[in-house]
Amino acid sequence: MKIHLFLLICILSFSCTNPYKGFQNPESDYQIIPKPESLEIAKGKFLITAKTKISATSDLKNEGLYLSSLLSHVAKIDVPFDTSSNGNIELRIDNDIKEDEGYWLSVTNNKVLISGKTAKGVFYGIQTLRQLLPVSFESGTNPLTIPAVTIKDNPRFPYRGMHLDVTRHMFPVDFVKKYIDLIAMHKMNTLHWHLTDDQGWRIEIKKYPKLTQIGSKRYGTIIGRLHKETGNDETEYGGYYTQEEVKEIVNYAAQRHVTVIPEIELPGHASAAIASYPFLSCFPNEPTVVTNNMGSKAGKEFQANGNPKIVQETWGVFDDVFCAGNEKTFGFLEDVLAEIIPLFPSEYIHIGGDECPKSNWKRCPACQKRMKDNNLSDEHELQSYFIQRMEKHLNAKGKKIIGWDEILEGGLAPNATVMSWRGEKGGIEAAKQHHNVIMTPGTHCYFDKYQVDKEEQAKEPLTIGGYISVEKVYEYDPTPNDLSNEEKKYVLGAQGNVWTEYLGSTSLIEYMILPRMSALSEVVWTQKENKNWKDFKFRLNKMKDRYEAMELNYAKHVFETKTVTK
């Protein structure tokens, strides 16, 4: 009798180790963004306890430590990682998975298994696991359960990017890391980091210290929207990232399988560099023209004291660009890139190439001589010469270039990738020429535009103007019908752009990207046939709760209608 009672107690004790065994999970437990390729719901839940361990082979140490840190630091539960133990959360490389970034995720009552073709795939499986955890996980609340499921998943596009302009307004290292974390959480893989422009040079170049001594600061900033300015704030604004800070950010991103692509603008948007080193201009002694005479008093005094060039204090496009006829210009840029290249392991360097007025080149004797010596018929071909020369230099250093779609003008550089922003026309033209393309049209992918229609815009923070709703982002397809199936293969993916003329705080950045970033993540990850706006909006309600638990500032407009049901 005692033996039977002992056995009964053992059986009951064993069955209670996981009270969720056999438990039927509600559908709300599986609201994942971006939507996976396939998801099979099962009964039961895996319970994370003090006995939970993570195991993997040494080649997945980065991913194991990342998951351990995520669970331990966010949820306040110590979940150790060990390459030698046999954990009940296992990470594994599986060559049966075909896609490099694909993963399989299996959750049962007793085991969590994340398999990937590569470490990237395993990492994306971890991001899905995060969304399967209760929202309360983000605020450190227990218990932690993971609903039983089998997921097989892989991305639609290889390039899934977010852009961040730090030239108009600059953001702390910690926020850039937070931005990278959001990119990773959405299974995106690229940060396009816009580091130089007319209003500020934001990266340390040791050979040219004036780029940060002078070029990193402006003496004031216009108040109000461009062409409707109401004055200048008369406040010095500046800052830059040291090379050590850049290394820290790039390393942080690499641990999350996010590639950081730097943008060093040329030949236009060069005012900050020219203010630092006026010889880079076609006309080094001509004063910088300030839009509508809206410059600061300090800037005017700086010019009056024998410094004709200043960092721009207004937004827009300016005639003072890098001189294409001066060999010292190319020497300067090659020197700058010599310090940029070791900092960024990315195969790409973004060279800008957009919005380059030709008026100075037309009246510059050195530029006209360059055109004559190289049989260039016009200034558009001179820009092409400029871009192709820089591409050849970077190719020789093992790098490829990306440029905005203006680099098509005058002839496309041989190995260039085109980032199409003025609609899709440039991307279509480049793909037809068998060049790689990244789609980022202003009609769907510019997150500095309003998220509400004109009637509501007066209540919103000031932006550059225009209107792109979450639904507008979600409906975007990066592969235009104008392309054949073969030409569509040259479309690498898409990117969301965040220009910061009117976004001066980290809170505003979050507000402008969320939830539009979530919509774009599904555009670039989820197969087209699996997308559905109503279904996405239903799942977005769960993501909204996660935003709040993570204390993110997000736009609530899409959630203010009545509750969405599938």
Side-chain angles (χ1 to χ4, degrees):
M1 183 69 179
K2 289 181 178 179
I3 295 174
H4 291 158
L5 182 61
F6 174 75
L7 290 172
L8 178 61
I9 292 171
C10 288
I11 291 169
L12 289 172
S13 176
F14 179 77
S15 65
C16 289
T17 56
N18 186 345
Y20 300 101
K21 187 175 182 180
F23 181 81
Q24 184 65 50
N25 307 301
E27 189 177 356
S28 60
D29 283 350
Y30 300 93
Q31 306 311 310
I32 298 166
I33 294 175
K35 187 174 184 178
E37 177 74 7
S38 70
L39 183 154
E40 295 180 12
I41 295 174
K43 290 184 178 181
K45 292 193 177 189
F46 179 89
L47 178 63
I48 296 177
T49 70
K51 295 181 179 180
T52 303
K53 294 182 180 179
I54 303 165
S55 67
T57 52
S58 58
D59 53 351
L60 291 173
K61 181 178 179 181
N62 174 71
E63 290 64 44
L65 290 174
Y66 172 86
L67 178 56
S68 175
S69 176
L70 190 68
L71 294 173
S72 302
H73 293 169
V74 178
K76 313 302 182 188
I77 294 178
D78 183 20
V79 183
F81 166 72
D82 196 327
T83 57
S84 60
S85 68
N86 196 9
N88 42 12
I89 298 179
E90 183 183 355
L91 312 180
R92 182 189 298 173
I93 295 293
D94 189 338
N95 291 321
D96 289 337
I97 298 174
K98 294 180 181 179
E99 300 83 6
D100 282 347
E101 294 181 290
Y103 69 90
W104 295 348
L105 170 61
S106 170
V107 180
T108 65
N109 296 303
N110 305 314
K111 180 86 170 181
V112 174
L113 174 62
I114 303 176
S115 305
K117 175 80 171 182
T118 63
K120 285 183 180 181
V122 171
F123 182 81
Y124 296 133
I126 291 171
Q127 299 310 312
T128 294
L129 188 73
R130 179 177 188 166
Q131 289 195 44
L132 290 170
L133 286 162
V135 169
S136 59
F137 155 77
E138 305 291 353
S139 54
T141 304
N142 295 318
L144 292 185
T145 59
I146 307 170
V149 72
T150 299
I151 293 174
K152 294 185 178 181
D153 199 10
N154 61 274
R156 181 184 178 195
F157 291 101
Y159 186 104
R160 307 180 298 280
M162 285 293 295
H163 157 282
L164 182 63
D165 167 23
V166 295
T167 65
R168 281 53 179 254
H169 287 98
M170 184 179 166
F171 307 99
V173 169
D174 283 349
F175 179 75
V176 179
K177 290 180 178 179
K178 186 178 184 180
Y179 198 80
I180 289 166
D181 282 330
L182 287 172
I183 290 172
M185 187 178 82
H186 286 87
K187 300 188 182 76
M188 302 174 93
N189 62 6
T190 306
L191 168 61
H192 170 184
W193 203 10
H194 186 80
L195 289 164
T196 73
D197 215 298
D198 295 302
Q199 294 81 18
W201 184 283
R202 302 287 177 228
I203 185 168
E204 176 189 26
I205 302 297
K206 294 180 179 179
K207 187 168 183 176
Y208 295 100
K210 290 183 181 180
L211 288 172
T212 47
Q213 293 168 0
I214 295 174
S216 71
K217 59 186 178 183
R218 56 182 183 262
Y219 290 101
T221 304
I222 61 165
I223 300 169
R225 188 181 292 156
L226 184 64
H227 305 310
K228 295 183 180 180
E229 306 95 331
T230 57
N232 190 300
D233 66 11
E234 302 291 344
T235 302
E236 184 177 299
Y237 186 93
Y240 64 92
Y241 302 96
T242 67
Q243 292 192 8
E244 288 305 309
E245 288 174 327
V246 170
K247 290 175 185 176
E248 180 184 341
I249 288 167
V250 170
N251 182 60
Y252 186 88
Q255 292 171 356
R256 289 150 181 77
H257 296 283
V258 173
T259 298
V260 182
I261 297 176
E263 181 175 2
I264 307 299
E265 274 274 10
L266 59 92
H269 288 290
S271 297
I274 289 171
S276 308
Y277 296 96
F279 73 83
L280 297 168
S281 169
C282 291
F283 303 99
N285 296 317
E286 289 187 3
T288 297
V289 176
V290 180
T291 305
N292 293 350
N293 196 32
M294 296 297 292
S296 65
K297 294 177 182 176
K300 292 173 183 175
E301 289 175 4
F302 183 75
Q303 287 182 298
N305 290 330
N307 304 284
K309 307 295 186 181
I310 63 168
V311 177
Q312 293 288 355
E313 300 173 5
T314 61
W315 320 128
V317 178
F318 304 94
D319 289 338
D320 213 357
V321 301
F322 286 126
C323 180
N326 186 351
E327 277 301 302
K328 290 183 179 180
T329 298
F330 295 96
F332 166 83
L333 290 170
E334 289 173 8
D335 289 341
V336 167
L337 291 170
E339 295 191 35
I340 293 291
I341 289 170
L343 297 174
F344 296 92
S346 163
E347 66 175 319
Y348 290 108
I349 301 288
H350 201 302
I351 50 79
D354 62 312
E355 297 178 328
C356 180
K358 311 297 190 294
S359 57
N360 276 13
W361 288 357
K362 288 179 179 180
R363 61 191 184 95
C364 172
C367 288
Q368 293 301 308
K369 183 177 187 301
R370 177 82 72 189
M371 289 170 57
K372 183 178 180 181
D373 291 346
N374 289 274
N375 297 315
L376 305 176
S377 60
D378 58 25
E379 286 72 21
H380 291 295
E381 288 192 8
L382 180 59
Q383 175 163 324
S384 181
Y385 165 88
F386 200 119
I387 300 295
Q388 290 191 40
R389 181 165 170 176
M390 296 312 303
E391 182 194 48
K392 186 177 181 179
H393 173 77
L394 284 166
N395 289 169
K397 303 296 182 181
K399 298 290 186 179
K400 300 176 183 177
I401 69 165
I402 300 176
W404 302 105
D405 55 57
E406 285 96 330
I407 67 172
L408 285 155
E409 298 167 2
L412 190 55
N415 303 305
T417 294
V418 171
M419 191 167 272
S420 190
W421 73 280
R422 297 178 300 175
E424 295 180 322
K425 183 179 178 181
I428 292 168
E429 183 180 343
K432 287 183 177 296
Q433 294 182 35
H434 293 183
H435 280 258
N436 286 336
V437 173
I438 298 160
M439 289 295 193
T440 178
T443 52
H444 294 81
C445 297
Y446 270 50
F447 296 169
D448 54 337
K449 296 184 179 182
Y450 286 109
Q451 303 176 73
V452 294
D453 59 25
K454 288 184 178 180
E455 294 180 359
E456 298 294 322
Q457 287 174 9
K459 303 174 185 176
E460 292 289 294
L462 183 67
T463 78
I464 198 168
Y467 168 44
I468 298 178
S469 66
V470 178
E471 185 173 5
K472 184 79 170 179
V473 176
Y474 188 80
E475 72 183 18
Y476 183 57
D477 179 10
T479 54
N481 292 329
D482 305 66
L483 298 176
S484 67
N485 288 336
E486 182 62 28
E487 291 164 345
K488 286 178 181 179
K489 294 178 182 178
Y490 290 95
V491 178
L492 301 180
Q495 173 176 287
N497 290 339
V498 182
W499 300 102
T500 62
E501 287 93 336
Y502 305 98
L503 307 180
S505 70
T506 58
S507 179
L508 267 177
I509 296 291
E510 292 175 15
Y511 180 80
M512 297 301 282
I513 66 173
L514 298 174
R516 290 188 287 195
M517 182 181 183
S518 297
L520 184 64
S521 76
E522 195 147 308
V523 169
V524 291
W525 180 278
T526 303
Q527 301 301 319
K528 184 178 179 181
E529 59 271 18
N530 289 339
K531 286 178 59 191
N532 178 281
W533 165 247
K534 190 175 181 181
D535 174 58
F536 170 78
K537 198 172 179 184
F538 177 75
R539 285 178 284 117
L540 193 59
N541 284 298
K542 187 71 170 284
M543 183 64 89
K544 169 186 72 74
D545 295 339
R546 200 165 296 274
Y547 296 156
E548 291 186 356
M550 296 172 70
E551 299 183 348
L552 294 166
N553 185 33
Y554 66 96
K556 298 177 174 60
H557 315 107
V558 73
F559 306 105
E560 289 174 351
T561 56
K562 62 182 179 180
T563 302
V564 178
T565 57
K566 293 176 74 175

